[in-house]
Amino acid sequence: RKSVKRAMPGTPPAFMSTLIRYSLLLCIVSRSYGTVPTQFRWPSDSDPEGNSCGEGSHCYSSLVQVRARATPRAPERSTSGGSGGGRAVERPLKIYVYDLPATTQHNGTLAILRQSCHEYPPSMETACGPLAKNGVFGGALPLSGGGLPDGLEVHDVYQFALGSIFFDSLLGHPQRTLYPKEADLFFVPAFNDPNGLQTYDLHANCPSEELLVAQLPYLTDDSASRHIWLAPSVGWVNETCDAFQANSSGTSPAALLLAKTIKLALEDRESAPPSLAADREAAVKENAPMSMPWADNLHSIPYPSVLSGFDPARIAAWQASSAAPRQRPYLVSGIWGAHGLGSSMDVRASMERQCLASPACSFTDLDGMRGHTNTEIVMEAKLVSTFCLEPPGDTPSRKGLVDSIIAGCIPVLFSPLQTKLWPWHVGNWRDVSVLASPSCPDIVAFLSDISHAELESMQQNLLPLVRRLTYSPVGSPDPDDALETTLRQVAALAYAS
């Protein structure tokens, strides 16, 4: 202050006061916005609250957050404007949702960018009709039996509703941004509902890679890893547009660009590898064989649980009821119809015979009921069983795996491929399930030999998975739910050093 007065004699006091204030402000800004690169740090599962951030710092409790530090290991592109002086910059992650039309015309042909049950009129005479009436999570169903308290409900969630759930949830997400320059992640609402395929010819009406890329003005080589989109089904070739299967062998710039984006589906190349081809062909009776997914950067995420759409208090009540000691009348249950891969048909037939022959096993035949969600039938059977048989069906995954976990029924797997499903959400399947041989001659005796200590350990390990398999009500994300878990993992991939 004295040096300024000596250098500027006769300067009015008011001007000097203003000059000093601006000088101090400039110092603060220059310390906060230096040229030091930014490092993104995401909370781990063991530290979801970010408690390792250090004394005196504030960390957001949401899993969808980004923590920027001044360190030389920063990604080249920073969405925070930079940080300097060693100070941590914390802010919520921003998500941009592209405003894409459901359909568009291209060279005189109708191109379907988005086909969803919940965008059909409720009166439409398809499997989507009833679902469109109740929103993305379906209607509420009260459950009776299973030893649960009165008043507990589940939602009649459509197993392939992930497209609509992600789209609606991200449109209503509190961290959605309308400004692309602020965005950390970009969601591309381009997906096809497998049960709506009778309305259009999927592949004849698919957008080309070039058409889709033209709809995405913020997709570049630099930002491709921050773009996410999904297939609501298993992600196999016949159930997606070719653009979704983009990989590094593509021949066009648009295909190579889409190959770098992050894709989500119920299965991926780890859980549904090319080695399944012969098994799948053996089960196909019509001339429409399916091919396993070949998309690059494809990651498996779980079917939506029947608790999706309920608030945390309702889910906590469900978890408390599941954890409460109660007698389950059946040691084991099986619930399925006669369909699936070549090997799956054999396993299902064998397990059905064994189950029907034992009073300790309950079997429910779903033949002729594939056009229905069967939520009440499935959940009430699983709630009265200690173990639930989950042989693969048409593909390695099945919604029954998620239903079993929610019901507190220990899943019994029959293929090592099933242990590769949903690593972000389930983790190690050894902690929560039993892997049985497909040729097991006496499944009831095999499960009866499992010790009580092992049994209790697996049941306890199932409880925290309930939230991670469940999608919160639109506009009210929970840090531990399925959507936030997915976004956290996607961001970790996008900003990996």
Side-chain angles (χ1 to χ4, degrees), residues 236-423:
W236 287 33
V237 171
N238 292 54
E239 292 190 349
T240 68
C241 291
D242 289 344
F244 188 81
Q245 301 295 338
N247 56 53
S248 57
S249 65
T251 57
S252 71
L256 292 173
L257 191 56
L258 290 174
K260 297 177 182 180
T261 61
I262 293 179
K263 307 166 194 77
L264 309 171
L266 298 173
E267 296 177 6
D268 55 17
R269 289 163 63 170
E270 291 290 315
S271 54
S275 58
L276 274 178
D279 201 359
R280 176 64 192 168
E281 294 296 326
V284 174
K285 298 181 175 58
E286 59 275 4
N287 296 321
M290 291 176 65
S291 298
M292 282 60 67
W294 62 58
D296 282 351
N297 299 309
L298 176 63
H299 301 272
S300 68
I301 58 175
Y303 295 83
S305 87
V306 293
L307 297 182
S308 294
F310 288 126
D311 60 38
R314 298 282 290 277
I315 295 170
W318 179 280
Q319 288 176 299
S321 297
S322 296
R326 62 188 176 89
Q327 184 65 39
R328 296 189 179 228
Y330 293 98
L331 174 69
V332 60
S333 68
I335 309 168
W336 58 74
H339 63 89
L341 299 165
S343 60
S344 300
M345 294 288 285
D346 295 336
V347 176
R348 289 187 171 202
S350 173
M351 292 301 119
E352 179 181 348
R353 287 193 298 270
Q354 293 182 44
C355 193
L356 290 173
S358 171
C361 187
S362 163
F363 182 74
T364 304
D365 189 351
L366 295 180
D367 266 354
M369 303 173 70
R370 294 191 68 187
H372 306 276
T373 55
N374 303 311
T375 300
E376 288 174 283
I377 297 172
V378 168
M379 291 305 296
E380 288 179 1
K382 291 179 180 294
L383 285 166
V384 296
S385 308
T386 300
F387 294 96
C388 288
L389 305 178
E390 302 294 350
D394 296 322
T395 67
S397 71
R398 61 190 308 243
K399 187 173 181 290
L401 289 165
V402 172
D403 293 334
S404 292
I405 292 171
I406 298 301
C409 186
I410 299 168
V412 181
L413 314 180
F414 290 88
S415 168
L417 293 178
Q418 292 177 299
T419 67
K420 298 180 182 297
L421 291 164
W422 319 322

Side-chain angles (χ1 to χ4, degrees), residues 103-270:
T103 65
T104 187
Q105 289 288 333
H106 181 64
N107 294 333
T109 301
L110 181 68
I112 312 298
L113 274 68
R114 182 172 61 256
Q115 188 178 18
S116 164
C117 255
H118 302 284
E119 292 183 0
Y120 293 149
S123 59
M124 199 167 201
E125 292 301 322
T126 69
C128 294
L131 297 161
K133 297 176 182 178
N134 296 306
V136 294
F137 298 116
L141 298 173
L143 291 183
S144 59
L148 291 172
D150 293 337
L152 289 185
E153 297 178 319
V154 296
H155 274 140
D156 195 18
V157 180
Y158 175 43
Q159 64 176 336
F160 299 130
L162 284 180
S164 298
I165 290 174
F166 264 72
F167 191 23
D168 282 18
S169 296
L170 292 178
L171 282 177
H173 200 285
Q175 302 307 330
R176 178 193 174 198
T177 179
L178 301 179
Y179 304 101
K181 289 184 178 180
E182 292 184 352
D184 300 299
L185 295 178
F186 296 81
F187 179 68
V188 181
F191 49 85
N192 297 92
D193 190 318
N195 268 11
L197 301 188
Q198 65 266 45
T199 311
Y200 302 105
D201 182 334
L202 172 63
H203 290 283
N205 295 111
C206 274
S208 65
E209 288 94 343
E210 290 72 18
L211 175 60
L212 185 58
V213 168
Q215 303 283 327
L216 307 174
Y218 312 110
L219 174 61
T220 65
D221 278 327
D222 244 5
S223 68
S225 64
R226 296 188 288 137
H227 278 67
I228 58 173
W229 50 321
L230 57 82
S233 60
V234 294
W236 287 33
V237 171
N238 292 54
E239 292 190 349
T240 68
C241 291
D242 289 344
F244 188 81
Q245 301 295 338
N247 56 53
S248 57
S249 65
T251 57
S252 71
L256 292 173
L257 191 56
L258 290 174
K260 297 177 182 180
T261 61
I262 293 179
K263 307 166 194 77
L264 309 171
L266 298 173
E267 296 177 6
D268 55 17
R269 289 163 63 170
E270 291 290 315

Side-chain angles (χ1 to χ4, degrees), residues 37-41 66-75 83 495-497:
T38 301
Q39 170 69 28
F40 291 90
R41 175 190 178 276
V66 64
R67 177 175 173 77
R69 285 187 181 275
T71 131
R73 295 186 57 220
S83 66
Y495 288 109
S497 56

Side-chain angles (χ1 to χ4, degrees), residues 430-485:
R430 289 184 180 182
D431 297 333
V432 295
S433 67
V434 175
L435 181 60
S437 167
S439 57
C440 179
D442 191 342
I443 192 67
V444 173
F446 169 70
L447 296 174
S448 298
D449 286 342
I450 294 176
S451 70
H452 183 69
E454 289 179 281
L455 179 66
E456 281 195 333
S457 175
M458 286 186 284
Q459 287 174 328
Q460 286 301 312
N461 291 336
L462 289 174
L463 287 174
L465 299 188
V466 171
R467 285 185 184 271
R468 293 209 294 270
L469 299 176
T470 298
Y471 291 84
S472 300
V474 173
S476 303
D478 182 296
D480 299 319
D481 75 4
L483 177 67
E484 305 300 285
T485 298

